[in-house]
Amino acid sequence: MSFPQPKPEVPQLPQHLLRTIDCQQGAVRAVRFNADGNYLLSCGSDKSLKLWSVSRGTLLKTYSGHGYEVLDADGSYDNSQLCSCSSDKTVILWDVATGQVTRKLRGHAGKVNCVQFNEEATVILSGSIDGTVRCWDTRSRKFDPIQILDEAQDGVSSLKVSEHELLTGSVDGRVRRYDLRMGQLHVDFINSPITCVCFSADAQCTLTSSLDSTVRLLDKSTGEMLGEYKGHKMKGYKLDCCLSSKDTHVLSCSEDGHVYCWDLVEGSLTLKLPVGKAVVQSLSFHPSETRLLTAMEGRVQVWPMATAQK
């Protein structure tokens, strides 16, 4: 007698709100997990960057030094440094413990939309409305960028770095992948201004969201479209998309107050997470667990995995 095979377990998606953090820093422009997922960074329209404990929801430190609203931030792999960028055209390197500005990097001609460390935190990469990506050496005494990538024909809205590869998305509708080791550039054309780009965890695919209210999954090496995800609203805001930590689901912010979660392979909408009545401005998925951060107006929401609820 043969028994039926057990059904494969459905990957958990965060469905229950654990807590809401009132950040008290104006509108939260971006929310980001740190490298190990124990802390979160919130970028405020009041010029501040704040560091919070995810588990307790408590404020650990406020970083003040930007002259205008903070648009993006990243933490170094060892949690000792932060970098942030702002509408004030600068990138700041911070000492986490002291809260002091280590470097203020000037050179962009307009607001800086996105910023990220490389894996060793020896280089900061920043993308700006001026159409350039600038690479800054965090240890150099010189404050000039070590490299400027100016291929974009319009503002750079998003960038991600993974080992020797840099992925950028631009308002010109193009996704550019730089192989920094080989000195090669690969370009994919999406016919709509791009709001967010990211690599899959297995580094085989890229995910792109754009203002035609579509998220696309592309094969990294060939540029072939592997999946198209629709249903959300993204027409006028620069909103985030991401993959779950195990690459099982595609997630996107939406202007209708929800986070949309699709099955990566099937393309079907698995979950429509109601965050609130305003635009979901930003999201961040935990690097290893099923945990999600969202930002709406002046608050950040922490969504744990369903099984974590007591």
Side-chain angles (χ1 to χ4, degrees):
M1 180 180 172
S2 62
F3 291 94
Q5 290 290 313
K7 283 187 179 174
E9 193 178 327
V10 178
Q12 294 284 354
L13 282 169
Q15 295 182 33
H16 300 275
L17 183 63
L18 176 67
R19 70 167 47 85
T20 297
I21 302 170
D22 185 357
C23 297
Q24 297 185 341
Q25 55 183 153
V28 177
R29 294 298 180 209
V31 62
R32 303 285 179 249
F33 273 114
N34 74 319
D36 59 21
N38 292 325
Y39 306 100
L40 72 86
L41 296 161
S42 61
C43 304
S45 65
D46 74 343
K47 314 175 196 175
S48 72
L49 173 68
K50 292 188 177 184
L51 178 70
W52 307 81
S53 161
V54 173
S55 59
R56 299 195 305 276
T58 50
L59 177 64
L60 303 175
K61 201 114 192 143
T62 299
Y63 302 85
S64 301
H66 278 297
Y68 209 62
E69 59 184 8
V70 185
L71 298 178
D72 196 11
D74 191 30
S76 63
Y77 71 96
D78 61 358
N79 296 329
S80 68
Q81 299 182 102
L82 303 173
C83 61
S84 62
C85 63
S86 167
S87 296
D88 67 6
K89 309 180 192 176
T90 70
V91 174
I92 294 183
L93 176 67
W94 307 87
D95 181 284
V96 168
T98 65
Q100 296 300 305
V101 174
T102 307
R103 298 268 165 87
K104 188 175 259 197
L105 303 165
R106 295 181 174 89
H108 281 295
K111 72 175 181 177
V112 189
N113 290 319
C114 46
V115 69
Q116 198 182 358
F117 284 110
N118 69 337
E119 290 188 40
E120 299 83 29
T122 53
V123 176
I124 296 171
L125 298 108
S126 58
S128 165
I129 198 171
D130 68 10
T132 68
V133 172
R134 288 170 193 251
C135 310
W136 314 86
D137 187 332
T138 59
R139 300 165 302 178
S140 167
R141 295 198 177 277
K142 291 183 179 173
F143 281 36
D144 298 322
I146 50 175
Q147 191 172 4
I148 300 174
L149 306 170
D150 58 1
E151 285 76 17
Q153 303 299 305
D154 207 326
V156 177
S157 55
S158 177
L159 64 79
K160 295 291 186 307
V161 61
S162 174
E163 295 181 0
H164 61 283
E165 290 188 313
L166 169 67
L167 191 67
T168 70
S170 169
V171 180
D172 68 13
R174 286 168 174 82
V175 182
R176 293 175 174 85
R177 181 170 57 88
Y178 298 85
D179 188 320
L180 300 172
R181 203 156 47 185
M182 303 295 288
Q184 293 175 333
L185 170 62
H186 307 267
V187 183
D188 290 308
F189 182 52
I190 306 281
N191 208 15
S192 178
I194 291 162
T195 63
C196 186
V197 293
C198 45
F199 287 107
S200 59
D202 66 6
Q204 299 302 306
C205 305
T206 62
L207 193 70
T208 304
S209 64
S210 47
L211 289 181
D212 56 357
S213 298
T214 308
V215 180
R216 294 174 177 87
L217 184 72
L218 304 179
D219 182 292
K220 189 181 78 174
S221 53
T222 66
E224 179 191 358
M225 191 162 74
L226 304 175
E228 213 173 20
Y229 311 91
K230 297 185 176 188
H232 62 300
K233 186 182 177 200
M234 197 184 298
K235 299 282 189 193
Y237 289 84
K238 178 190 167 312
L239 306 182
D240 292 336
C241 67
C242 71
L243 287 154
S244 61
S245 49
K246 305 269 191 303
D247 281 349
T248 56
H249 288 81
V250 172
L251 295 90
S252 174
C253 295
S254 178
E255 292 169 18
D256 65 7
H258 293 79
V259 169
Y260 284 69
C261 310
W262 297 270
D263 183 284
L264 178 132
V265 177
E266 294 178 6
S268 53
L269 186 65
T270 312
L271 179 67
K272 192 175 162 184
L273 196 65
V275 180
K277 290 188 165 61
V279 174
V280 184
Q281 189 70 46
S282 179
L283 57 75
S284 181
F285 208 94
H286 192 283
S288 56
E289 297 170 13
T290 307
R291 189 172 286 196
L292 179 70
L293 300 173
T294 54
M296 178 179 282
E297 295 178 323
R299 293 175 294 281
V300 166
Q301 298 80 21
V302 183
W303 308 82
M305 53 194 292
T307 52
Q309 291 297 109
K310 294 285 185 280

